[in-house]
């Protein structure tokens, strides 16, 4: 029994070693990829639920890894956050999104900003400078932040949002309903819209329906009080689209309307032309 235990230990150590090597590898790859355009923005349409008119796109980060293929944020964002590299990757993505804005005419583009990044003292200045240099319209760029970014340092978050907004860059609150949802704070922040987390949209159909309906209803009531609109995330079916509309949600995003893709979907962009 003793030797079996030791064997198991050896196997375990080997697995740990491999995992550590894999992470080190990926971190080295991440550093390299920053220098060789390994990161690309994919765009997913955000539509008006009643007529599917596109109002904007969310830019989503993808890593075109030379050996591992196309990687999703979940595959590497934790790593980038630990090493601080993700902020540089984010700037690469913002640059692409802002250039895309300057080239096209189809609503806004929203970009994701991690809480720590949002609270960096030069974030707003750097973003506004980038927009200015690209000759893009700041009113067509939006940032997506989570509640964590607001509540960690309220005065700083307020300053940041006000600065951005005074130059035209609006903020939408991501994954809403999953965080602390400190509702009493929310009215203090200049937020343009709430993105209803996809777990509640998924829950609108099936066993968890009563709970999800209750949450979405509460979010809609809150948004109504604040005079802002909502975007349902992760809309995959007509049933979910209809349920959201019935609950008073105006906008949606999800595979039903379009997958994230490297270009604005041609057919969808065409639909914009009257
Ligand atoms: P998120 O901001 O909540 O983005 C929405 C996620 O839902 C995206 O995953 C998108 O591909 C996925 N999605 C869209 N429609 C559907 C649907 O109908 N069904 C399902 N099941 N999923 C759908 P993705 O692209 O893997 O991104 C995951 C997260 O990574 C994002 O969640 C965001 O928090 C983060 N992220 C993405 N891009 C960036 C970035 O450029 N910078 C930073 N800091 N974070 C990013
Ligand atoms: Ca987002
Ligand atoms: Ca989200
Ligand atoms: Ca999310």
């Amino acid at each position: 029994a003793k030797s079996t235990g030791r064997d198991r230990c050896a196997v375990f150590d080997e697995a740990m070693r491999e995992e550590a090597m894999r992470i080190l590898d990926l971190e080295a790859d991440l550093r390299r990829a920053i220098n060789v355009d390994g990161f690309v923005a994919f765009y997913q349409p955000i539509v008006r639920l009643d007529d599917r008119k596109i109002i904007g796109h969310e830019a989503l980060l993808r890593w075109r890894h030379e050996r591992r293929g196309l990687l999703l944020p979940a595959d590497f964002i934790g790593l980038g956050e630990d090493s601080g590299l993700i902020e540089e990757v984010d700037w690469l993505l913002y640059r692409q999104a802002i250039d895309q804005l300057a080239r096209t005419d189809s609503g806004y583009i929203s970009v994701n900003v991690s809480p720590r990044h949002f609270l960096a003292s030069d974030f707003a200045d750097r973003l506004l400078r980038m927009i200015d240099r690209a000759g893009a319209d700041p009113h067509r760029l939006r940032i997506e932040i989570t509640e964590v970014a607001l509540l960690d340092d309220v005065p700083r978050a307020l300053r940041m949002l006000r600065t951005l907004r005074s130059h035209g860059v609006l903020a939408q609150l991501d994954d809403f309903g999953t965080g602390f949802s400190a509702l009493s704070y929310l009215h203090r922040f200049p937020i343009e819209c709430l993105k209803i987390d996809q777990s509640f949209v998924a829950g609108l159909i099936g066993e968890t329906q009563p709970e999800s309906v209750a949450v979405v209803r509460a979010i809609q009531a809150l948004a109504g009080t604040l005079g802002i609109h909502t975007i349902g995330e992760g809309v995959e079916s007509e049933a979910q689209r209809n349920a959201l509309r019935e609950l008073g949600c105006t906008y949606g995003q999800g595979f039903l309307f379009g997958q994230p893709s490297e270009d604005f979907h041609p057919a969808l962009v065409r639909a914009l032309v009257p």
Side-chain angles (χ1 to χ4, degrees):
K2 214 172 183 182
S3 82
T4 315
R6 204 164 42 228
D7 286 350
R8 213 180 294 141
C9 239
V11 169
F12 183 62
D13 284 350
E14 179 59 19
M16 293 248 296
R17 203 185 63 85
E18 270 172 21
E19 177 63 11
M21 291 302 287
R22 201 188 65 80
I23 289 172
L24 278 177
D25 247 30
L26 207 56
E27 187 168 332
D29 290 352
L30 193 63
R31 275 178 211 284
R32 261 199 307 279
I34 288 178
N35 298 317
V36 298
D37 293 337
F39 296 95
V40 283
F42 271 42
Y43 299 97
Q44 187 180 33
I46 300 172
V47 307
R48 200 157 61 191
L49 286 172
D50 60 2
D51 60 1
R52 297 168 190 261
K53 181 186 154 55
I54 295 176
I55 58 157
H57 291 80
E58 177 175 6
L60 294 160
L61 179 62
R62 298 291 181 265
W63 179 2
R64 228 188 265 299
H65 193 283
E66 28 197 13
R67 294 182 313 281
R68 297 171 207 243
L70 198 67
L71 300 185
L72 297 171
D75 300 327
F76 61 89
I77 244 176
L79 180 78
E81 269 169 358
D82 292 347
S83 61
L85 284 173
I86 199 62
E87 300 193 4
E88 283 321 303
V89 177
D90 274 351
W91 284 113
L92 292 174
L93 186 107
Y94 303 162
R95 139 93 3 98
Q96 288 182 31
I98 288 167
D99 287 348
Q100 174 84 355
L101 269 184
R103 275 199 308 271
T104 55
D105 176 29
S106 45
Y108 66 81
I109 294 179
S110 60
V111 295
N112 291 283
V113 183
S114 71
R116 197 174 63 184
H117 196 172
F118 174 69
L119 292 171
S121 56
D122 66 339
F123 176 75
D125 289 344
R126 195 167 165 188
L127 191 67
L128 293 169
R129 226 179 306 129
M130 195 177 262
I131 296 170
D132 192 47
R133 285 202 187 131
D137 178 1
H139 296 88
R140 293 179 53 217
L141 188 76
R142 293 191 180 186
I143 59 164
E144 296 197 359
I145 51 173
T146 56
E147 286 164 277
V148 178
L150 297 183
L151 298 177
D152 200 45
D153 182 342
V154 171
R156 184 187 278 263
L158 265 176
R159 260 194 322 253
M160 197 63 81
L161 288 177
R162 286 188 182 135
T163 303
L164 288 168
R165 198 184 182 88
S166 71
H167 289 86
V169 179
L170 304 177
Q172 11 202 64
L173 213 46
D174 211 350
D175 302 344
F176 196 71
T178 60
F180 305 103
S181 301
L183 304 186
S184 55
Y185 272 96
L186 210 55
H187 73 278
R188 296 177 53 190
F189 294 101
I191 292 291
E192 184 64 15
C193 98
L194 304 178
K195 296 191 80 174
I196 302 171
D197 189 72
Q198 54 190 46
S199 58
F200 306 118
V201 175
L204 288 176
I205 309 300
E207 271 171 41
T208 53
Q209 190 180 25
E211 292 90 331
S212 295
V213 166
V215 172
V216 173
R217 199 167 268 144
I219 294 175
Q220 288 300 141
L222 176 67
T225 306
L226 298 171
I228 62 183
H229 60 257
T230 57
I231 299 174
E233 296 194 271
V235 183
E236 294 182 353
S237 68
E238 286 295 340
Q240 289 166 346
R241 170 177 173 239
N242 289 331
L244 280 170
R245 288 173 72 190
E246 271 163 29
L247 288 162
C249 175
T250 317
Y251 302 106
Q253 175 181 359
F255 298 160
L256 179 66
F257 310 112
Q259 296 276 340
S261 74
E262 194 160 0
D263 297 301
F264 288 176
H265 196 290
L268 294 171
V269 173
R270 229 175 291 127
L272 274 177
V273 183

